[in-house]
Amino acid sequence: MNKQDETDLISEPNAPKNIVQSAKDFMNGVLSPLKGKDMGQMVEEFTSEMTLVAEGLSEDQQKLSQENERLSAQQTELEQRMLDGFHDADVTADEMRKEIAVLRSRLEKAEKLLQDKKEQKPKKTDGITAMLRQATWLVAIGAGSWIIVTIINALT
């Protein structure tokens, strides 16, 4: 707008003709570089281009919405797997604790039995049994030798 139009608007605020005229002058000033084109055609081109842009933005928004839903579902699945993994690890840890407790009690019993065996006095029968076993072997060897000598003498 030029300065005279501004002063006209300020001095006469109730003059609708001046406002309309100044708006037309402003539009003519803006559109003066586009001389030769029909205003209706320019509005139609602008509208069609803006419609095309709006449709493109709408498609992009739909694609982003679908991608967002897919990523949300994937994240939910990963969270569930992670929670299942934590649960399995917790269960496994509990089972290991129980197994360790069982093994610890078995070890304590074995240590107690070993300690009891060390504290017991050796039995006399163990020594006698070992001597009888050795005597049995000696008798068996002697009897076997006598049989072989008898067979050899019988054949000659």
Side-chain angles (χ1 to χ4, degrees):
M1 271 207 279
N2 57 27
K3 291 199 181 224
Q4 183 168 351
D5 289 339
E6 289 177 4
T7 52
D8 287 342
L9 287 175
I10 294 172
S11 63
E12 299 177 30
N14 294 331
K17 290 182 183 179
N18 287 338
I19 294 173
V20 172
Q21 184 62 37
S22 65
K24 284 183 181 180
D25 291 341
F26 176 73
M27 288 301 290
N28 286 335
V30 170
L31 297 176
S32 64
L34 303 172
K35 287 184 181 176
K37 288 195 173 184
D38 182 24
M39 183 65 135
Q41 181 184 358
M42 289 183 350
V43 169
E44 188 64 35
E45 286 178 20
F46 177 77
T47 304
S48 67
E49 289 176 4
M50 289 306 292
T51 303
L52 182 65
V53 168
E55 288 174 354
L57 289 173
S58 176
E59 288 177 12
D60 290 345
Q61 187 178 13
Q62 287 176 350
K63 287 179 184 177
L64 288 174
S65 177
Q66 289 172 352
E67 182 69 13
N68 186 28
E69 289 174 7
R70 185 186 67 80
L71 289 174
S72 177
Q74 188 178 21
Q75 182 180 5
T76 303
E77 180 183 340
L78 289 173
E79 286 175 356
Q80 187 61 41
R81 282 187 196 169
M82 187 173 60
L83 290 175
D84 290 345
F86 286 152
H87 176 71
D88 293 346
D90 191 35
V91 168
T92 303
D94 288 341
E95 289 174 356
M96 291 179 110
R97 283 187 201 104
K98 289 176 184 176
E99 185 68 25
I100 288 171
V102 168
L103 290 173
R104 190 171 284 145
S105 68
R106 286 178 55 195
L107 178 64
E108 288 172 357
K109 287 178 185 177
E111 287 176 344
K112 184 179 177 186
L113 285 174
L114 180 63
Q115 188 65 26
D116 289 346
K117 289 266 185 187
K118 285 182 181 178
E119 290 176 359
Q120 286 180 352
K121 294 180 181 176
K123 295 180 182 178
K124 292 182 180 178
T125 56
D126 285 340
I128 294 173
T129 306
M131 288 179 2
L132 286 175
R133 200 173 301 136
Q134 289 176 355
T136 304
W137 276 105
L138 286 174
V139 170
I141 290 171
S145 300
W146 178 74
I147 292 174
I148 291 174
V149 170
T150 306
I151 292 175
I152 290 176
N153 286 337
L155 292 177
T156 49

